[in-house]
């Protein structure tokens, strides 16, 4: 899963895909498409389009702004590329419009907890990534607490799966994600990575998003623009421990890890 951020404050590529204009962020659709084509050519099977930055401390954006950032991008991808499109959003309105525009997956860091989100998905055929987060993006890295981090994340995901199933969503539409960096210390994150295999017992594909995150910075001492190697190492560990989807900014490098993993697994 290649990350296609359309947020001006994203710490990766978002700020290069458009420019601020009178307080609004104007997306350069040509640039977005070129970036998407590159990631697709490098091997990304899914492109994750996000208009709300969920990085620690990020400010919320209005629904109108989020729609303006993601819908044109989804339309352009649908029209030009044969790729699976994921929309990174927690807003029921954005989910509805994104699915109408052709999104195949809803990637919700809030696991369909916003009022109305569950119903939008129940009324659709889209796949859903349910992610664990403790707290809210504005404050989650300031204040978190776990007894047993693995048990708490697993119990949360299993409860959200049950809620989806009760709403009539088939299990084969669901993906689970422990939510690396979302209200967790580096120790919590590495504990979850080490024990990731445990989540496979829930019976759904596991998505892992560790690309360039602070846990990689904590382990390597490197700033965000020097974390590709560490991120790829972590991706390899995630694959070995049962991950099926790796969310990454650096598709070519991550694909090499996936190919090495597959060759090793098939030996
Ligand atoms: C994740 C994510 C982000 C993740 C899923 C970043 C939107 C922060 N991280 N979605 N989104 N899993 N499913 O650093 O780990 O990319 S945003």
């Amino acid at each position: 899963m290649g990350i296609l951020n359309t947020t001006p404050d994203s710490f990766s590529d978002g700020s290069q895909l458009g420019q601020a204009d009178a307080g609004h962020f104007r997306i350069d659709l040509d640039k977005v498409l070129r970036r998407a084509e590159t990631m697709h050519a490098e091997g990304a099977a899914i492109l994750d389009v996000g208009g709300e930055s969920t990085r620690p401390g990020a400010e919320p954006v209005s629904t109108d702004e989020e729609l303006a950032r993601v819908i044109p991008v989804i339309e352009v991808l649908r029209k030009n590329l044969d790729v699976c499109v994921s929309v990174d959003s927690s807003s029921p309105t954005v989910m509805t419009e994104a699915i109408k525009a052709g999104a195949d997956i809803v990637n919700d860091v809030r696991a369909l907890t916003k009022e109305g989100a569950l119903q939008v998905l129940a009324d659709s055929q889209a796949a859903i990534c349910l992610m664990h987060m403790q707290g809210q993006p504005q404050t989650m890295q300031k204040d978190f607490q776990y007894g047993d981090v693995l048990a708490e994340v697993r119990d949360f995901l299993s409860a959200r799966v049950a809620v989806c199933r009760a709403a009539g969503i088939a299990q084969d539409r669901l993906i689970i994600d422990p939510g690396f960096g979302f209200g967790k210390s580096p120790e919590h994150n590495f504990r979850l990575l080490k024990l990731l295999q445990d989540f496979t017992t829930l019976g759904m594909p596991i998505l892992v998003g560790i690309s360039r995150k602070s846990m990689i910075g904590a382990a390597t001492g490197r700033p965000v623009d020097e974390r590709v190697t560490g991120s790829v190492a972590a991706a390899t560990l995630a694959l070995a421990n049962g991950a099926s989807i790796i969310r990454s900014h650096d598709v070519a490098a991550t694909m090499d890890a996936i190919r090495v993993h597959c060759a090793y697994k098939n030996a």
Side-chain angles (χ1 to χ4, degrees):
M1 174 187 270
I3 301 169
L4 201 58
N5 276 326
T6 59
T7 56
D9 57 344
S10 154
F11 68 64
S12 62
D13 58 351
S15 51
Q16 295 154 24
L17 298 178
Q19 59 187 58
D21 173 24
H24 287 279
F25 180 61
R26 270 259 185 112
I27 315 154
D28 183 334
L29 286 175
D30 283 336
K31 270 192 195 167
V32 171
L33 180 59
R34 263 178 277 141
R35 180 102 184 86
E37 282 169 343
T38 301
M39 288 198 285
H40 183 52
E42 288 172 346
I46 308 167
L47 296 178
D48 190 35
V49 181
E52 181 211 15
S53 181
T54 38
R55 72 182 176 135
E59 288 301 317
V61 296
S62 73
T63 301
D64 283 347
E65 179 72 17
E66 207 187 330
L67 285 168
R69 288 179 188 177
V70 300
I71 303 303
V73 172
I74 294 170
E75 288 171 349
V76 151
L77 296 181
R78 257 294 75 93
K79 210 169 141 195
N80 294 279
L81 276 178
D82 185 17
V83 69
C84 186
V85 176
S86 160
V87 61
D88 155 20
S89 180
S90 297
S91 152
T93 307
V94 176
M95 292 173 187
T96 303
E97 295 307 314
I99 292 167
K100 265 196 231 161
D104 307 286
I105 304 176
V106 168
N107 174 28
D108 185 4
V109 298
R110 294 178 183 82
L112 307 186
T113 52
K114 280 208 176 165
E115 177 85 47
L118 186 66
Q119 199 52 48
V120 170
L121 272 299
D123 294 339
S124 84
Q125 293 300 316
I128 303 130
C129 181
L130 300 166
M131 198 197 78
H132 174 271
M133 165 162 59
Q134 190 178 95
Q136 288 296 315
Q138 290 73 39
T139 53
M140 65 189 177
Q141 289 307 101
K142 294 195 182 108
D143 179 27
F144 43 70
Q145 233 169 20
Y146 295 92
D148 176 343
V149 68
L150 178 73
E152 285 175 39
V153 173
R154 196 210 309 111
D155 290 351
F156 171 83
L157 291 176
S158 127
R160 294 312 295 163
V161 166
V163 166
C164 287
R165 300 283 289 113
I169 299 170
Q171 179 162 325
D172 66 5
R173 290 170 56 195
L174 299 174
I175 301 163
I176 51 171
D177 180 345
F180 291 96
F182 285 85
K184 293 160 189 101
S185 69
E187 292 74 23
H188 292 136
N189 289 315
F190 278 103
R191 189 91 194 132
L192 288 167
L193 183 59
K194 188 172 185 178
L195 303 175
L196 195 70
Q197 194 82 54
D198 189 83
F199 292 97
T200 60
T201 59
L202 293 175
M204 274 146 285
I206 300 169
L207 188 154
V208 162
I210 41 199
S211 182
R212 304 184 188 173
K213 282 187 180 171
S214 62
M215 63 185 285
I216 306 301
T220 61
R222 293 190 184 276
V224 68
D225 58 339
E226 292 174 14
R227 293 181 188 163
V228 180
T229 311
S231 301
V232 171
T236 310
L237 295 167
L239 290 163
N241 288 339
S244 300
I245 305 170
I246 306 291
R247 186 177 178 277
S248 175
H249 304 88
D250 307 291
V251 174
T254 306
M255 279 308 298
D256 277 0
I258 291 173
R259 291 186 186 109
V260 168
H261 167 76
C262 291
Y264 172 82
K265 211 179 146 196
N266 296 328

